[in-house]
Amino acid sequence: NFMLTQPHSVSESPGKTVTISCTRSSGSIASNYVQWYQQRPGSSPTTVIYEDNQRPSGVPDRFSGSIDSSSNSASLTISGLKTEDEADYYCQSYDSSNQVFGGGTKLTVL
Amino acid sequence: EVQLVESGGGLVKPGGSLRLSCAASGFTFSSYSMNWVRQAPGKGLEWVSSISSSSSYIYYADSVKGRFTISRDNAKNSLYLQMNSLRAEDTAVYYCARGLTTGGSPDYWGQGTLVTVSS
């Protein structure tokens, strides 16, 4: 099994741009799609990015996803930060028989 | 609108059993794989189990293999998780989540049901 490693926390000011990384420990990041979930306190997770870079309907285009094979990592970028973006963010991917979540990143918007 | 409603959580003693249910609506349940994902208090998300649309493929995390059983009833639009030999470390909110058609990763999530294993 592989692991997905995220920074524990990031912080940025409103209106700025923040990028959260997600590094795959083994196997190619490009071999299986990466998803990103947002979880606000006391709420269930919601999908903000699926299939590496696709946004579900209703998710603002301030959210974007990408993968970088050279660093074997995926990234979630949030531009024009709003206080409502403050939440935990989880990356996720899979292999033939497992779904794997990153440890989560707490985003503080201050 | 996709809706997933979990039920069946509660307080159970170590070694005990519990059966979780998830009622699905707003989509063609029989066409999608389904997942159970849990979150211990103050911790991150942990995948528990997945089942394909026709129940042909079933997978478990190593932490629950041999103790938990996932199943579904497409006629009733329902997903289940039978949990046996429960341990304190199984204490968590358990989420039912629909699987994407590509790879089965969760896309829609339920509100979760809390399972507490304690004597």
Side-chain angles (χ1 to χ4, degrees), chain B residues 34-102:
Chain B
M34 297 295 295
N35 301 278
W36 287 102
V37 177
R38 69 185 180 184
Q39 187 170 35
K43 303 297 185 182
L45 301 173
E46 179 189 15
W47 169 73
V48 173
S49 182
S50 300
I51 185 168
S52 63
S53 57
S54 60
S55 304
S56 298
Y57 300 97
I58 288 175
Y59 305 104
Y60 298 99
D62 288 344
S63 57
V64 306
K65 203 171 293 183
R67 300 187 299 122
F68 290 10
T69 302
I70 191 172
S71 62
R72 64 190 295 161
D73 185 335
N74 287 343
K76 295 183 177 180
N77 289 344
S78 294
L79 175 72
Y80 307 102
L81 186 68
Q82 176 67 43
M83 304 185 296
N84 299 330
S85 302
L86 283 161
R87 307 165 178 167
E89 55 264 36
D90 295 318
T91 295
V93 173
Y94 284 73
Y95 296 102
C96 160
R98 192 181 78 168
L100 284 166
T101 53
T102 51

Side-chain angles (χ1 to χ4, degrees), chain A residues 35 37 39 44 47 51 92 99, chain B residues 39 102-103 105-107 110-111:
Chain A
Q35 284 57 239
Y37 305 100
Q39 186 178 34
S44 303
T47 305
E51 293 179 359
Q92 184 274 340
Q99 304 282 344
Chain B
Q39 187 170 35
T102 51
S105 299
D107 60 354
Q111 87 289 348

Side-chain angles (χ1 to χ4, degrees), chain A residues 13-16 60 62 78-86 107 109:
Chain A
S13 304
K16 300 291 190 179
R62 301 185 296 105
I78 311 171
S79 60
L81 275 169
K82 300 184 177 184
T83 55
E84 68 202 47
D85 298 330
E86 188 162 290
L107 169 63
V109 182

